[in-house]
Amino acid sequence: QKEVEQDPGPLSVPEGAIVSLNCTYSNSAFQYFMWYRQYSRKGPELLMYTYSSGNKEDGRFTAQVDKSSKYISLFIRDSQPSDSATYLCAMRSNTGKLIFGQGTTLQVKP
Amino acid sequence: GAGVSQSPRYKVAKRGQDVALRCDPISGHVSLFWYQQALGQGPEFLTYFQNEAQLDKSGLPSDRFFAERPEGSVSTLKIQRTQQEDSAVYLCASSLARRFGETQYFGPGTRLLVL
């Protein structure tokens, strides 16, 4: 079993839809949770970063962490075609390295 | 302001060849990470430097993989006697310091294809 599980999709939604992306993890010691966006043939770029449990909002993006369930989510409101990309959840280990999920491929259709 | 740069962007190697992949981190960034991303997968940690010291190499898949950062800036990942299973995108990331919570900034990656 992988430390971080993420449904690879693909997920296809119409423009304007609310998108929900999720990851589960097994290591209760994780405290730093990130969402990265990766466009085709590009490196990952940080979207959202959350410490411990709770919610964080940035524009159309909301990140949620539920440590009791070992479950994290990313919500995208009013999705746009430019949001089409692969979304990677990541957790920081106590040695500083990031442990990534498999990534979910999202397509937003105009 | 320059981000993390990597070269070459694409590399085709014949099985058994040695390859060297270069990473130029953001100026002043102390920490440098290498990750390997197989097709359709998330990045997987290979190794970590703090300045010139290689503090963690637990992710290197075999002794054919070697990384260095001799002056605490540019880093090179070397793969000896490449195998087909080495085909992947190799990503480099840097961060300002090794403090919990520091953002890792990724380069565009080097796409390696071993024939």
Side-chain angles (χ1 to χ4, degrees):
Chain A
Q1 184 187 4
K2 291 187 175 182
E3 281 192 281
V4 180
E5 298 279 358
Q6 183 176 11
D7 186 338
L11 183 61
S12 182
V13 302
E15 183 175 354
I18 296 174
V19 176
S20 172
L21 304 167
N22 311 291
C23 288
T24 58
Y25 62 95
S26 57
N27 189 340
S28 58
F30 289 146
Q31 294 204 67
Y32 294 85
F33 305 91
M34 283 136 282
W35 286 94
Y36 280 83
R37 178 174 61 195
Q38 187 174 27
Y39 291 112
S40 180
R41 299 186 182 271
K42 302 286 187 182
E45 59 174 325
L46 183 66
L47 266 182
M48 299 287 287
Y49 158 70
T50 309
Y51 170 70
S52 194
S53 284
N55 293 1
K56 187 172 184 178
E57 187 173 322
D58 184 3
R60 297 185 295 112
F61 299 89
T62 299
Q64 288 185 350
V65 174
D66 181 350
K67 290 192 69 179
S68 63
S69 302
K70 298 191 185 69
Y71 188 87
I72 70 171
S73 300
L74 177 71
F75 298 95
I76 307 174
R77 291 183 298 280
D78 187 25
S79 56
Q80 303 295 309
S82 59
D83 294 329
S84 299
T86 295
Y87 290 80
L88 297 154
C89 63
M91 287 129 208
R92 184 186 304 276
S93 77
N94 59 4
T95 60
K97 67 184 180 186
L98 297 179
I99 300 169
F100 286 88
Q102 184 176 350
T104 300
T105 299
L106 171 67
Q107 183 179 24
V108 181
K109 294 185 175 180
Chain B
V4 177
S5 61
Q6 294 185 244
S7 61
R9 291 294 313 277
Y10 302 92
K11 178 70 178 177
V12 179
K14 291 183 179 178
R15 190 160 51 98
Q17 280 186 331
D18 297 349
V19 298
L21 313 179
R22 176 187 169 107
C23 173
D24 283 83
I26 295 172
S27 178
H29 277 198
V30 168
S31 295
L32 186 145
F33 300 80
W34 283 98
Y35 294 86
Q36 180 191 58
Q37 187 173 24
L39 188 63
Q41 302 296 316
E44 292 195 357
F45 171 79
L46 292 176
T47 188
Y48 159 64
F49 290 86
Q50 187 174 10
N51 294 307
E52 68 277 5
Q54 189 174 20
L55 299 186
D56 187 350
K57 54 182 180 180
S58 61
L60 296 176
S62 77
D63 58 8
R64 296 186 295 105
F65 287 70
F66 172 76
E68 60 183 6
R69 194 186 184 197
E71 297 179 359
S73 178
V74 171
S75 178
T76 304
L77 176 68
K78 297 179 180 178
I79 309 174
Q80 297 177 323
R81 304 181 304 282
T82 51
Q83 303 295 313
Q84 286 186 321
E85 62 262 28
D86 300 334
S87 296
V89 176
Y90 291 84
L91 294 164
C92 175
S94 70
S95 67
L96 191 56
R98 188 188 171 268
R99 287 198 305 271
F100 288 159
E102 284 292 341
T103 298
Q104 292 184 26
Y105 297 90
F106 283 82
T110 294
R111 189 174 298 268
L112 173 64
L113 176 63
V114 181
L115 301 177

